[in-house]
Amino acid sequence: MSGLVQEMVGKALKLGIPLSVQLDLTYRCNERCIHCYLDHHDHGEMSTPEIKDLLDQMADAGVFYLTISGGEILMRRDFFEILEHARARTFCIKLKTNGVLIRKKQAQLIHSLGVESVQVSIYSHRPEVHDAITKMPGSLRQSIDAIRLLRGHGIHVIIANVLMVHNAQDYAGVKALAAELDAQFVVDPTITPMMDGDRSILSLNVDEAALREVFQNEALVGNVEEFCAPPPGVDEDALNSLPCSAGHTACYVSPYGDVYPCVQFPLPSGNVRHTKFVDIWRHSPQLNEVRSIRLRDMPTCSQCTHGATCTRCPGLAFLEGNMRGPSYQDCEKSYARTGIPSENLKKRKASSRPLQLIQICAEAVPVQVAEKTTSGI
């Protein structure tokens, strides 16, 4: 994060400004990804005038970063009308799309409207794997074609690679594809529960051996020795730290006008069809509860050696039953990164095989362990 952005975030936090918002225009999609956390049926999306009015309200509230996502954003016929209105309000705009509906005309319009970046999910460099995940034959080819068009117009493209059991060994191939396409590459080894709380898709999460391989890959994380260093423990500064930006400088708005702290934190906090956006942001009891939480308020995490360095997501913790509790998925990631289990992980693993044995076996015969421990997180 640059110094200027850090300064903006600091001021937004101090002044209570919603610096960043993700707005999903629709949950409808032309793909049916096996790991998707959304209900793709239309239950009454906001109209074009409603969305334009919301954009005006968000601009007046101080929103600067606007991520427009879905579903598939281009499933809405009014997408470019909405995008043009958003740019007129001078948001810094990031788009998330699968790219399947992007042709020369769409790429040109995106370029002309000055979009900051476009993120496209690529699950594998192999069509048979990617298309099986999206359940749409030819989707890899169409997404790659869209990326080429966007890059041809000089648009910054981010290729997002979500890892799951079906593509756990393909991230190197996707990274090479991103380099070939002159696109940025990011990898995410977390499958998110469905927004309605259904956790069945978590069976798609990669196992411990695969997580460890990702977190100890210098090409992905940089200095492995520094990235995987033992956690320093929790000090007074850490105890007073915020869990993340959700509800503090950022929030999420669904296609139906529902406001949540984050897209991965489905705590209903108001609806813009009934209440002004700025009033929800300032006065929602749910958002104010989220804002009140510090690390010291989390009984388990505040006592954990990983407390100061864990990537704990309060949304995932909320979906596991307690926004003030640990997130098992994040405990898994901390363990894969450092080899040191959290107290929460020790308790959860106590009824299965010992962690030390898993670690020793993983270091000795990683392929065998990957085959034997393919249980979902």
Side-chain angles (χ1 to χ4, degrees), residues 28-202:
R28 291 175 288 131
C29 192
N30 44 8
E31 296 182 334
R32 285 294 182 270
C33 297
I34 60 175
H35 63 292
C36 187
Y37 53 84
L38 300 174
D39 172 2
H40 293 299
H41 296 289
D42 181 359
H43 298 288
E45 297 169 1
M46 287 186 286
S47 65
T48 309
E50 285 179 310
I51 292 176
K52 286 183 175 180
D53 180 59
L54 173 60
L55 292 171
D56 292 341
Q57 292 182 46
M58 292 195 301
D60 292 342
V63 175
F64 179 71
Y65 295 107
L66 176 65
T67 299
I68 300 178
S69 185
E72 172 46 50
I73 52 179
L74 286 163
M75 294 288 285
R76 286 198 60 135
R77 295 182 179 181
D78 58 356
F79 167 69
F80 283 104
E81 183 179 350
I82 292 170
L83 180 59
E84 184 174 0
H85 188 84
R87 283 297 295 134
R89 294 311 308 258
T90 66
F91 295 111
C92 176
I93 298 176
K94 304 176 183 182
L95 304 179
K96 293 184 179 180
T97 173
N98 58 39
V100 168
L101 297 176
I102 292 179
R103 304 290 187 271
K104 289 182 179 179
K105 178 182 178 181
Q106 288 78 18
Q108 175 59 45
L109 283 170
I110 291 170
H111 167 70
S112 66
L113 288 170
V115 168
E116 193 274 336
S117 66
V118 178
Q119 179 175 304
V120 181
S121 292
I122 299 292
Y123 303 108
S124 174
H125 58 297
R126 297 181 290 159
E128 64 273 19
V129 176
H130 177 95
D131 295 358
I133 289 173
T134 64
K135 295 185 179 180
M136 183 179 182
S139 57
L140 176 61
R141 175 184 55 79
Q142 293 176 79
S143 292
I144 289 176
D145 287 347
I147 292 170
R148 292 188 193 280
L149 285 170
L150 293 168
R151 288 299 301 130
H153 285 86
I155 299 167
H156 179 204
V157 176
I158 302 166
I159 289 180
N161 183 212
V162 178
L163 295 187
M164 60 195 91
V165 293
H166 296 71
N167 66 347
Q169 303 303 316
D170 288 2
Y171 62 85
V174 178
K175 187 172 187 293
L177 176 63
E180 176 190 330
L181 296 171
D182 192 25
Q184 182 182 346
F185 171 78
V186 295
V187 62
D188 182 3
T190 305
I191 300 297
T192 303
M194 295 192 70
M195 291 190 74
D196 63 5
D198 184 348
R199 302 180 63 79
S200 61
I201 59 174
L202 296 188

Side-chain angles (χ1 to χ4, degrees), residues 4-18:
L4 178 60
V5 174
Q6 282 184 319
E7 185 178 348
M8 288 176 63
V9 171
K11 287 186 176 180
L13 187 61
K14 182 178 180 180
L15 298 173
I17 293 173

Side-chain angles (χ1 to χ4, degrees), residues 340-353:
I340 300 173
S342 66
E343 291 303 315
N344 179 52
L345 199 57
K346 289 178 183 177
K347 293 175 184 177
R348 294 286 293 268
K349 293 289 187 179
S351 59
S352 60
R353 74 187 82 177

Side-chain angles (χ1 to χ4, degrees), residues 152-346:
H153 285 86
I155 299 167
H156 179 204
V157 176
I158 302 166
I159 289 180
N161 183 212
V162 178
L163 295 187
M164 60 195 91
V165 293
H166 296 71
N167 66 347
Q169 303 303 316
D170 288 2
Y171 62 85
V174 178
K175 187 172 187 293
L177 176 63
E180 176 190 330
L181 296 171
D182 192 25
Q184 182 182 346
F185 171 78
V186 295
V187 62
D188 182 3
T190 305
I191 300 297
T192 303
M194 295 192 70
M195 291 190 74
D196 63 5
D198 184 348
R199 302 180 63 79
S200 61
I201 59 174
L202 296 188
S203 62
L204 299 174
N205 268 306
V206 298
D207 61 24
E208 294 171 17
L211 272 180
R212 187 176 296 108
E213 181 182 333
V214 169
F215 287 147
Q216 296 186 6
N217 186 324
E218 190 167 342
L220 296 178
V221 303
N223 188 321
V224 172
E225 187 173 329
E226 181 178 330
F227 184 77
C228 297
V234 179
D235 58 19
E236 192 65 22
D237 288 340
L239 288 173
N240 291 321
S241 64
L242 304 177
C244 75
S245 63
H248 294 277
T249 59
C251 68
Y252 164 70
V253 183
S254 81
Y256 314 120
D258 296 309
V259 178
Y260 302 97
C262 172
V263 68
Q264 288 190 170
F265 197 161
L267 173 66
S269 303
N271 188 289
V272 297
R273 281 174 158 163
H274 311 303
T275 309
K276 292 293 186 183
F277 173 81
V278 70
D279 290 333
I280 295 173
W281 176 258
R282 291 174 180 170
H283 306 302
S284 164
Q286 295 81 8
L287 289 179
N288 283 327
E289 180 183 6
V290 170
R291 293 181 188 123
S292 72
I293 301 172
R294 300 293 184 272
L295 180 60
R296 66 170 63 253
D297 302 315
M298 304 173 193
T300 301
C301 298
S302 62
Q303 303 299 317
C304 180
T305 186
H306 290 282
T309 55
C310 179
T311 58
R312 176 190 174 277
C313 170
L316 291 178
F318 172 77
L319 286 167
E320 290 180 27
N322 182 8
M323 72 172 78
R324 289 177 170 80
S327 161
Y328 180 69
Q329 288 180 265
D330 290 314
C331 290
E332 287 274 4
K333 285 186 279 188
S334 290
Y335 174 57
R337 183 167 58 86
T338 65
I340 300 173
S342 66
E343 291 303 315
N344 179 52
L345 199 57
K346 289 178 183 177

